[in-house]
Amino acid sequence: MRRIPPSQFMGVRSGITVSILDDYFDTLHTLPCFAKLAPFDVTIWNDHVDDVDVLAERLQDSEVVVLIRERTKIQAPLLARLPKLRLISQRSVYPHIDIAACTSRGVIVSSNQLSDACYAAAELTWALVLAAVRQIPAQVEALRRGTWQLGVGSTLRGKTLGIYGYGRIGKVVAGYGDAFGMDVCVWSGERARAQAAADGYGVAATKDSFFEECDVISLHLRLVDATRGIVTAADLARMKPTSLLVNTSRAGLVAPGALLDAVRAGRPGLAAVDVYDQEPLSPTDPLLTMPNVVCTPHIGYVTRDEYEKQFSDVFDQILAYAAGTPLNVVNPDVLARPNGV
């Protein structure tokens, strides 16, 4: 835990108590944008806690809570024990927050919805593609054990890259595939498929053919009710034994248990994953024991550059709240309540 007392700052209400959760490596206070929180009494928690009793005790005096993506769930039982809470500030989607409960308790949820691409996530996606097809983690580990070359990997040039979800990040990853000489094929909503075609990329005739024909498939969809479990066991079973599935988006896009069963069955033959149903991932999770799976600990957006960009927005939302003009409010009905601002 790190506590940073307030300093003088003009133009906003000072002395607001702010709690930041899940700053694993105590990074945020080292960013240039952290200076925006100078007027406030800030406490930073560096560990991860799921226990509602512990969270309620830690946050009992907090007027503002800053979340780092979906690391901590904010649900009705916890909200009921935080009478002083008035603002949750974060960035991106919010399936981990009970928005209705926040509104009923007068808690504003401010969350910039990311109008720009997350290049950090796109770059990690491509790093995982290369790591999987060239067996880089296994080759490195074998070399440390004294084994010179473990096996034979694959090249990407001439293969088909499937982009499932042609949005901000999907477009960037499609460009990487194009630069590597891959044929890019897109499956997404009708409007996104039309945009992909206009951008010069191929579009799959059907979802079934997309999974059957692509050599690498990378998921780039937001997790909402309509996309939860959108990749089914039947979809994965259509993939080639030589193919690779990459997920740096959200674990919930894949039907529960389907990926583990699929890689055990050899379709797809490889997987590379940065997101999980339960995070932090247990060290005993079976995915970590599989030689045909590359796993990273949800680090797609975890770079100093991306943190500076994202938390500059998050802290601006707190400044706007302190000035009485909340930004990026996802539950605007709360503003009509007497304690809404």
Side-chain angles (χ1 to χ4, degrees):
M1 183 190 78
R2 177 183 295 274
R3 182 177 179 274
I4 301 172
S7 59
Q8 294 297 316
F9 197 90
M10 298 296 293
V12 298
R13 178 164 60 92
S14 62
I16 292 173
T17 54
V18 178
S19 290
I20 300 175
L21 299 180
D22 299 303
D23 184 13
Y24 296 156
F25 297 103
D26 202 18
T27 303
L28 295 191
H29 80 281
T30 70
L31 300 175
C33 67
F34 192 78
K36 296 180 179 186
L37 298 188
F40 311 128
D41 188 343
V42 181
T43 300
I44 304 173
W45 296 94
N46 306 123
D47 58 345
H48 174 76
V49 172
D50 289 318
D51 189 282
V52 171
D53 291 334
V54 176
L55 287 169
E57 182 178 357
R58 289 184 176 186
L59 303 177
Q60 61 183 334
D61 294 321
S62 301
E63 183 174 345
V64 176
V65 169
V66 172
L67 300 182
I68 300 182
R69 293 301 184 101
E70 298 108 285
R71 291 178 179 178
T72 293
K73 294 181 179 180
I74 306 293
Q75 301 294 305
L78 176 59
L79 289 164
R81 297 172 64 178
L82 302 177
K84 296 181 181 180
L85 182 63
R86 290 294 172 264
L87 173 70
I88 297 172
S89 187
Q90 63 147 54
R91 207 165 188 254
S92 192
V93 294
Y94 37 87
H96 53 299
I97 302 174
D98 187 333
I99 299 297
C102 286
T103 303
S104 69
R105 301 195 68 84
V107 178
I108 298 167
V109 180
S110 286
S111 187
N112 186 312
Q113 292 299 290
L114 297 176
S115 59
D116 53 347
C118 179
Y119 292 100
E123 289 174 4
L124 182 76
T125 299
W126 204 249
L128 286 175
V129 171
L130 291 171
V133 300
R134 295 303 301 272
Q135 307 174 334
I136 292 174
Q139 295 283 7
V140 170
E141 184 58 33
L143 186 59
R144 287 174 174 166
R145 296 196 308 264
T147 299
W148 185 256
Q149 296 187 8
L150 188 65
V152 179
S154 302
T155 55
L156 295 171
R157 190 171 187 84
K159 304 286 179 60
T160 299
L161 169 65
I163 302 293
Y164 197 166
Y166 191 70
R168 296 167 297 102
I169 298 174
K171 290 180 182 180
V172 176
V173 176
Y176 295 162
D178 187 50
F180 271 70
M182 300 188 75
D183 295 322
V184 177
C185 180
V186 172
W187 184 252
S188 192
E190 184 176 352
R191 182 180 300 179
R193 295 200 306 271
Q195 182 60 58
D199 291 342
Y201 296 125
V203 174
T206 64
K207 183 185 179 186
D208 288 357
S209 65
F210 176 78
F211 278 92
E212 290 167 358
E213 296 167 9
C214 292
D215 298 292
V216 177
I217 291 178
S218 189
L219 307 183
H220 298 288
L221 297 162
R222 286 191 173 189
L223 182 60
V224 295
D225 289 343
T227 60
R228 187 174 295 277
I230 197 168
V231 178
T232 67
D235 293 328
L236 298 176
R238 290 187 176 91
M239 295 182 70
K240 303 174 184 179
T242 55
S243 64
L244 164 67
L245 181 80
V246 184
N247 190 1
T248 58
S249 186
R250 293 293 185 272
L253 297 172
V254 182
L259 179 60
L260 180 61
D261 290 344
V263 292
R264 280 175 171 165
R267 287 180 180 268
L270 298 169
V273 185
D274 186 51
V275 287
Y276 310 92
D277 290 318
Q278 193 69 36
E279 296 184 2
L281 186 68
S282 168
T284 61
D285 192 283
L287 281 176
L288 297 177
T289 69
M290 307 196 69
N292 54 341
V293 180
V294 176
C295 295
T296 50
H298 204 159
I299 56 173
Y301 64 98
V302 183
T303 68
R304 290 189 64 85
D305 312 83
E306 188 64 24
Y307 264 33
E308 174 66 22
K309 180 173 67 173
Q310 292 200 17
F311 285 97
S312 183
D313 285 350
V314 171
F315 299 156
D316 279 344
Q317 291 170 171
I318 300 174
L319 290 171
Y321 162 79
T325 55
L327 284 174
N328 306 319
V329 178
V330 302
N331 56 337
D333 289 348
V334 78
L335 300 179
R337 297 176 60 91
N339 57 356
V341 178

